[in-house]
Amino acid sequence: MDHVIPREWIDESRMGGFCPLTSAWSCVKPHELIPVEIIQPPMRDVGVMLDQNGFRKNGIIYTLERIRRADPIEPIRLWASPIDTFDYQVRDGFHRYYIAKTFGYTHIPADIEHWS
C-alpha cells in the first residue's frame, strides 16, 4: 500500500505550498523531539478499510488545519525498540508521522514507551 496523502486533501485543508518554519509542529504536552529518520515508517495492513492510501480523510484534514493555524498537536506515541536501522516504532500516530514526512518536518514530538 502506498502511504501518500492525497493532493486534494492537502488542497482542501489549504496546505498546498506549506513549508514548516520549525523542525516540528507545536506541542504543549510533555514530549521528546525525535528525528523522523530514526522512526520506522509505519505500515497499514492491506485489509484495513480507510478512505484512501491507508488514511482517514477527516483525521488528515483535522491535523493539517491545526498545523495551518499553529494550534498545538498531540505527540505521537513511540516504542523504543531498535529494529535494523530504526530506533523507534510508531504505536499511535500513523497520520501525524506521514504528515511530518510529507511536509518536511525533521522531528516529531513523541511520547516514548520502553519495551520491558
Side-chain angles (χ1 to χ4, degrees):
M1 181 179 298
D2 190 19
H3 298 302
V4 176
I5 298 171
R7 181 70 206 180
E8 58 270 16
W9 298 1
I10 293 170
D11 293 341
E12 183 177 330
S13 62
R14 299 185 308 209
M15 289 288 284
F18 175 83
C19 292
L21 300 176
T22 58
S23 63
W25 59 71
S26 173
C27 181
V28 296
K29 291 194 173 186
H31 65 277
E32 296 180 49
L33 282 179
I34 304 298
V36 172
E37 72 268 3
I38 64 172
I39 302 170
Q40 181 180 25
M43 302 300 290
R44 292 269 196 224
D45 292 330
V46 175
V48 174
M49 297 302 297
L50 296 169
D51 297 320
Q52 192 172 337
N53 300 348
F55 300 110
R56 248 183 230 97
K57 181 179 180 180
N58 63 349
I60 292 290
I61 298 290
Y62 173 80
T63 304
L64 289 178
E65 288 175 346
R66 290 186 64 82
I67 291 171
R68 184 175 41 78
R69 293 189 310 258
D71 292 343
I73 297 173
E74 298 282 321
I76 68 172
R77 290 172 56 200
L78 298 176
W79 277 323
S81 61
I83 297 175
D84 297 322
T85 59
F86 299 104
D87 294 334
Y88 300 97
Q89 288 181 304
V90 176
R91 180 162 183 214
D92 179 36
F94 182 91
H95 290 79
R96 289 167 284 166
Y97 173 86
Y98 281 102
I99 286 171
K101 292 277 290 181
T102 298
F103 288 95
Y105 285 109
T106 59
H107 291 74
I108 297 179
D111 177 26
I112 310 298
E113 297 180 25
H114 296 274
W115 290 49
S116 46

